[in-house]
Amino acid sequence: MGEQPIFTTRAHVFQIDPNTKKNWMPASKQAVTVSYFYDVTRNSYRIISVDGAKVIINSTITPNMTFTKTSQKFGQWADSRANTVFGLGFSSEQQLTKFAEKFQEVKEAAKIAKDKTQEKIETSSDHSQASSVNGTDDEKASHTSPANTHLKSENDKLKIALTQSAANVKKWEIELQTLRESNARLTTALQESAASVEQWKRQFSICRDENDRLRNKIDELEEQCSEINREKEKNTQLKRRIEELEAELREKETELKDLRKQSEIIPQLMSECEYVSEKLEAAERDNQNLEDKVRSLKTDIEESKYRQRHLKVELKSFLEVLDGKIDDLHDFRRGLSKLGTDN
């Protein structure tokens, strides 16, 4: 019972301009689903297409309709009930050919159904007329012959058949009302589905913005990583400088030891001893300055190592948050894909 899809394809839908009757106006922004439906109850065929929550084609096929191919990928037909001309643009010539063949097949089926309906109406009309004539003859004859008795019996049978036909008509009216209610429920469900799709689109837009924000954050972290690399390079340079200063310090200490030995070996040379003492004091001052520089460089290295560890902790924390966001995004895409499959 009800309507059932018997053929489905995708095409761009157009309608003729009602003012000029020449130009085509697009009824859909992109290719949409176009389907043939067969109504078992009414024994009729329709072409239906829906774009979101909007019905853009609702055309009942009649025997006098004709589908015309105007190009390799475009075809059209006129619907006098809708007072318009529908046009379909397909992605290939094969799709257009299949649609046209199905149109001709449905058209022939609609013609056969119409002929059967007309025969039923004519048969019912003949039975009604025969019933009326037989009733008049019964009144005139007043049971004067066996033939009249037989006619009365036939008349009663026809009345019973007429009553059953009326009951069937009432049953069909009830089924029609049921189908209309079902159609209304389907329309409501379609609108709710469209609203749900809009909600998913909004959520997808939010997730896309969040993804852009995360990408920007990743760029910032990459910049920070570059800064860490620069700090590492600076630390390497500082280490080399410290090694050079330590080597220079060892040379100064060796020189200091030599000067002290000379001062012990040659005590009689007071002038040279004073000179050596002054040189020793200068060397000690230089040594102190070098030690101060070494301590300063070691302090810089410790601070650099602390900043490096702090940046690594922040990077690790952000990567954990980023992994969680990526997992949420994957779950959302799977939910979106599942919704698309259900629709």
Side-chain angles (χ1 to χ4, degrees), residues 276-295:
V276 170
S277 297
E278 291 175 358
K279 192 173 182 180
L280 179 62
E281 290 176 358
E284 288 178 349
R285 286 194 298 271
D286 292 337
N287 185 28
Q288 184 65 38
N289 291 334
L290 289 173
E291 289 178 351
D292 292 337
K293 290 181 179 179
V294 169
R295 284 194 296 271

Side-chain angles (χ1 to χ4, degrees), residues 253-266:
E253 288 177 349
T254 302
E255 185 178 354
L256 183 59
K257 289 178 181 179
D258 293 339
L259 289 173
R260 285 177 179 174
K261 288 179 181 180
Q262 291 176 8
S263 64
E264 293 175 355
I265 296 172
I266 312 174

Side-chain angles (χ1 to χ4, degrees), residues 29 71 99 105 294 304 313:
K29 296 181 179 179
S71 68
F99 188 89
E105 177 184 340
V294 169
S304 177
V313 171

